[in-house]
PDB file of all heavy atoms in Angstrom:
ATOM      1  N   ARG A 285      29.747  -3.139  19.390  1.00  0.00           N
ATOM      2  CA  ARG A 285      30.209  -2.623  20.689  1.00  0.00           C
ATOM      3  C   ARG A 285      30.566  -3.771  21.629  1.00  0.00           C
ATOM      4  O   ARG A 285      31.565  -3.713  22.345  1.00  0.00           O
ATOM      5  CB  ARG A 285      29.136  -1.746  21.325  1.00  0.00           C
ATOM      6  CG  ARG A 285      28.896  -0.420  20.628  1.00  0.00           C
ATOM      7  CD  ARG A 285      27.950   0.452  21.432  1.00  0.00           C
ATOM      8  NE  ARG A 285      27.586   1.666  20.696  1.00  0.00           N
ATOM      9  CZ  ARG A 285      26.471   1.788  19.970  1.00  0.00           C
ATOM     10  NH1 ARG A 285      25.600   0.784  19.905  1.00  0.00           N
ATOM     11  NH2 ARG A 285      26.223   2.913  19.333  1.00  0.00           N
ATOM     12  N   ALA A 286      29.739  -4.800  21.636  1.00  0.00           N
ATOM     13  CA  ALA A 286      29.997  -5.937  22.520  1.00  0.00           C
ATOM     14  C   ALA A 286      31.285  -6.656  22.140  1.00  0.00           C
ATOM     15  O   ALA A 286      31.981  -7.191  23.010  1.00  0.00           O
ATOM     16  CB  ALA A 286      28.814  -6.911  22.467  1.00  0.00           C
ATOM     17  N   ASP A 287      31.604  -6.666  20.855  1.00  0.00           N
ATOM     18  CA  ASP A 287      32.852  -7.293  20.415  1.00  0.00           C
ATOM     19  C   ASP A 287      34.057  -6.573  21.003  1.00  0.00           C
ATOM     20  O   ASP A 287      35.065  -7.195  21.340  1.00  0.00           O
ATOM     21  CB  ASP A 287      32.910  -7.299  18.889  1.00  0.00           C
ATOM     22  CG  ASP A 287      34.133  -7.988  18.335  1.00  0.00           C
ATOM     23  OD1 ASP A 287      34.080  -9.211  18.132  1.00  0.00           O
ATOM     24  OD2 ASP A 287      35.159  -7.289  18.116  1.00  0.00           O
ATOM     25  N   GLY A 288      33.976  -5.238  21.083  1.00  0.00           N
ATOM     26  CA  GLY A 288      35.003  -4.459  21.754  1.00  0.00           C
ATOM     27  C   GLY A 288      36.262  -4.183  20.963  1.00  0.00           C
ATOM     28  O   GLY A 288      37.205  -3.583  21.489  1.00  0.00           O
ATOM     29  N   GLN A 289      36.297  -4.574  19.678  1.00  0.00           N
ATOM     30  CA  GLN A 289      37.535  -4.394  18.906  1.00  0.00           C
ATOM     31  C   GLN A 289      37.432  -3.318  17.839  1.00  0.00           C
ATOM     32  O   GLN A 289      38.416  -3.029  17.161  1.00  0.00           O
ATOM     33  CB  GLN A 289      37.912  -5.716  18.217  1.00  0.00           C
ATOM     34  CG  GLN A 289      38.161  -6.874  19.160  1.00  0.00           C
ATOM     35  CD  GLN A 289      38.779  -8.037  18.414  1.00  0.00           C
ATOM     36  OE1 GLN A 289      40.004  -8.174  18.328  1.00  0.00           O
ATOM     37  NE2 GLN A 289      37.939  -8.879  17.841  1.00  0.00           N
ATOM     38  N   VAL A 290      36.227  -2.743  17.657  1.00  0.00           N
ATOM     39  CA  VAL A 290      36.030  -1.795  16.571  1.00  0.00           C
ATOM     40  C   VAL A 290      35.403  -0.505  17.079  1.00  0.00           C
ATOM     41  O   VAL A 290      34.775  -0.474  18.135  1.00  0.00           O
ATOM     42  CB  VAL A 290      35.136  -2.386  15.458  1.00  0.00           C
ATOM     43  CG1 VAL A 290      35.824  -3.522  14.753  1.00  0.00           C
ATOM     44  CG2 VAL A 290      33.793  -2.834  16.023  1.00  0.00           C
ATOM     45  N   ARG A 291      35.586   0.540  16.293  1.00  0.00           N
ATOM     46  CA  ARG A 291      34.883   1.795  16.540  1.00  0.00           C
ATOM     47  C   ARG A 291      33.556   1.738  15.804  1.00  0.00           C
ATOM     48  O   ARG A 291      33.475   1.202  14.688  1.00  0.00           O
ATOM     49  CB  ARG A 291      35.740   2.959  16.032  1.00  0.00           C
ATOM     50  CG  ARG A 291      35.110   4.330  16.195  1.00  0.00           C
ATOM     51  CD  ARG A 291      36.167   5.427  16.088  1.00  0.00           C
ATOM     52  NE  ARG A 291      36.926   5.365  14.858  1.00  0.00           N
ATOM     53  CZ  ARG A 291      36.597   5.998  13.732  1.00  0.00           C
ATOM     54  NH1 ARG A 291      35.499   6.726  13.675  1.00  0.00           N
ATOM     55  NH2 ARG A 291      37.360   5.909  12.661  1.00  0.00           N
ATOM     56  N   VAL A 292      32.496   2.274  16.393  1.00  0.00           N
ATOM     57  CA  VAL A 292      31.178   2.202  15.766  1.00  0.00           C
ATOM     58  C   VAL A 292      30.746   3.583  15.287  1.00  0.00           C
ATOM     59  O   VAL A 292      31.031   4.600  15.915  1.00  0.00           O
ATOM     60  CB  VAL A 292      30.128   1.593  16.718  1.00  0.00           C
ATOM     61  CG1 VAL A 292      30.521   0.194  17.137  1.00  0.00           C
ATOM     62  CG2 VAL A 292      29.903   2.470  17.932  1.00  0.00           C
ATOM     63  N   GLU A 293      30.051   3.589  14.153  1.00  0.00           N
ATOM     64  CA  GLU A 293      29.486   4.805  13.570  1.00  0.00           C
ATOM     65  C   GLU A 293      28.079   4.496  13.091  1.00  0.00           C
ATOM     66  O   GLU A 293      27.860   3.494  12.398  1.00  0.00           O
ATOM     67  CB  GLU A 293      30.328   5.293  12.382  1.00  0.00           C
ATOM     68  CG  GLU A 293      31.736   5.727  12.717  1.00  0.00           C
ATOM     69  CD  GLU A 293      31.783   7.064  13.439  1.00  0.00           C
ATOM     70  OE1 GLU A 293      30.784   7.814  13.352  1.00  0.00           O
ATOM     71  OE2 GLU A 293      32.821   7.355  14.047  1.00  0.00           O
ATOM     72  N   ASP A 294      27.125   5.349  13.450  1.00  0.00           N
ATOM     73  CA  ASP A 294      25.784   5.156  12.914  1.00  0.00           C
ATOM     74  C   ASP A 294      25.617   6.002  11.644  1.00  0.00           C
ATOM     75  O   ASP A 294      26.577   6.595  11.138  1.00  0.00           O
ATOM     76  CB  ASP A 294      24.707   5.455  13.954  1.00  0.00           C
ATOM     77  CG  ASP A 294      24.643   6.933  14.360  1.00  0.00           C
ATOM     78  OD1 ASP A 294      25.241   7.783  13.669  1.00  0.00           O
ATOM     79  OD2 ASP A 294      23.976   7.237  15.371  1.00  0.00           O
ATOM     80  N   GLY A 295      24.389   6.049  11.123  1.00  0.00           N
ATOM     81  CA  GLY A 295      24.159   6.715   9.844  1.00  0.00           C
ATOM     82  C   GLY A 295      23.765   8.164   9.931  1.00  0.00           C
ATOM     83  O   GLY A 295      23.242   8.720   8.951  1.00  0.00           O
ATOM     84  N   TRP A 296      24.015   8.804  11.071  1.00  0.00           N
ATOM     85  CA  TRP A 296      23.544  10.174  11.254  1.00  0.00           C
ATOM     86  C   TRP A 296      24.158  11.154  10.262  1.00  0.00           C
ATOM     87  O   TRP A 296      23.436  11.942   9.619  1.00  0.00           O
ATOM     88  CB  TRP A 296      23.819  10.620  12.688  1.00  0.00           C
ATOM     89  CG  TRP A 296      23.298  11.990  12.992  1.00  0.00           C
ATOM     90  CD1 TRP A 296      24.030  13.117  13.206  1.00  0.00           C
ATOM     91  CD2 TRP A 296      21.919  12.392  13.110  1.00  0.00           C
ATOM     92  NE1 TRP A 296      23.198  14.186  13.455  1.00  0.00           N
ATOM     93  CE2 TRP A 296      21.905  13.763  13.395  1.00  0.00           C
ATOM     94  CE3 TRP A 296      20.714  11.708  12.994  1.00  0.00           C
ATOM     95  CZ2 TRP A 296      20.713  14.471  13.576  1.00  0.00           C
ATOM     96  CZ3 TRP A 296      19.527  12.416  13.166  1.00  0.00           C
ATOM     97  CH2 TRP A 296      19.550  13.780  13.462  1.00  0.00           C
TER      98      TRP A 296
END
Side-chain angles (χ1 to χ4, degrees):
R285 290 187 187 96
D287 183 88
Q289 300 191 92
V290 293
R291 179 162 56 90
V292 301
E293 296 287 341
D294 67 14
W296 183 250

